[in-house]
Amino acid sequence: MPDAHDANVVVFDFDLTLTRWETARRFFKGLLRRQPARLVLLLVLLPLLAPLLLIPRTRRLPTRCAVWLATFGHSREAMHALAQAHADAVFAAGEALFIAPAVARLREHLARGDRVVIATGCWEPLARALLAHGGLGDVPLVASTLRPWRGGWVSDQHCLGANKIPMLAARGFAPPWAMAYTDHHADLPLLRHSAQWCLVSPTADCLQRIETALATRAQVLAWRQ
């Protein structure tokens, strides 16, 4: 059983829970657009990759291929610099990345003394750079990592779905948790270990899946509308 200190952990998802778009997807798409030859190669490969999306075991391979193409030839230092430059550009353009009510709720939890942690499938350096711009750089972050492979970068630890549980535990945020916020049914394993939970502007399919799986009505927060 957790002690009193561990009983007030609040877990926030990042993309589409605190943010208005999927941050890693936008970042890697931007890298591909900067390198037209690689984008053309990806388009050529699409007829071969598209069928993989229909099979659960191979569904993520097209995305991994796209990330590898986008990052080919970049060193670790260059990748971190690109992430920082992307975050700088987003905020320099005045784009409203963060959802104001979501950030306000996170700050309310902090003000109450809750242990808040952000758990996200976004690549860690990118998430850190964006959070720093949003004034949330001090909030603990558990995020996905990449590893070098054949000249590019591929997924190492993917902080998504059930993987979030051991990754959070390894950082000192073991379940059960007091509260969780997410927008996606991929976080069902997280919700099962949370005393309370909220869905942020979920799709109809997401809402149905979660309510069916947990046999209860969800508390929905329409923060992105």
Side-chain angles (χ1 to χ4, degrees):
M1 294 292 291
D3 58 31
H5 179 66
D6 291 328
N8 62 338
V9 172
V10 178
V11 183
F12 276 83
D13 183 30
F14 184 60
D15 289 332
L16 302 178
T17 297
L18 289 171
T19 73
R20 296 188 182 279
W21 60 78
E22 293 189 9
T23 53
R25 178 180 295 180
R26 181 163 169 170
F27 171 67
F28 290 115
K29 278 186 176 179
L31 290 186
L32 282 170
R33 290 193 187 101
R34 292 173 53 175
Q35 305 163 94
R38 301 185 194 191
L39 182 56
V40 169
L41 178 57
L42 181 61
L43 293 175
V44 169
L45 292 173
L46 270 182
L48 297 175
L49 296 173
L52 300 178
L53 295 170
L54 303 176
I55 306 171
R57 287 188 305 172
T58 61
R59 191 165 291 157
R60 294 176 187 166
L61 289 178
T63 298
R64 290 173 179 172
C65 179
V67 169
W68 182 83
L69 277 173
T71 60
F72 183 80
H74 293 308
S75 66
R76 185 181 304 274
E77 293 75 16
M79 286 292 296
H80 285 214
L82 287 166
Q84 185 63 58
H86 177 82
D88 293 345
V90 166
F91 285 87
E95 296 188 77
L97 168 62
F98 288 103
I99 302 167
V103 173
R105 178 66 62 87
L106 186 152
R107 294 192 185 282
E108 288 175 11
H109 281 291
L110 290 174
R112 289 202 294 263
D114 294 332
R115 298 179 64 213
V116 176
V117 59
I118 296 168
T120 175
C122 180
W123 180 43
E124 184 174 358
L126 176 61
R128 286 195 184 281
L130 293 168
L131 286 166
H133 270 291
L136 299 172
D138 293 335
V139 179
L141 172 70
V142 179
S144 295
T145 59
L146 298 176
R147 60 181 174 85
W149 185 77
R150 297 183 181 272
W153 294 83
V154 295
S155 178
D156 181 19
Q157 287 188 297
H158 197 188
C159 190
L160 182 72
N163 289 346
K164 285 188 177 183
I165 297 173
M167 292 183 71
L168 280 161
R171 293 288 298 275
F173 298 98
W177 302 292
M179 190 81 187
Y181 294 85
T182 185
D183 72 293
H184 203 277
H185 55 80
D187 278 326
L188 255 171
L190 194 79
L191 304 185
R192 293 185 191 278
H193 291 279
S194 301
Q196 299 180 64
W197 47 271
C198 295
L199 299 182
V200 177
S201 300
T203 64
D205 177 63
C206 169
L207 181 62
Q208 181 179 8
R209 287 195 190 196
I210 289 178
E211 290 187 336
T212 299
L214 299 181
T216 187
R217 293 292 299 273
Q219 181 180 349
V220 174
L221 304 170
W223 286 342
R224 291 202 314 275
Q225 297 177 3

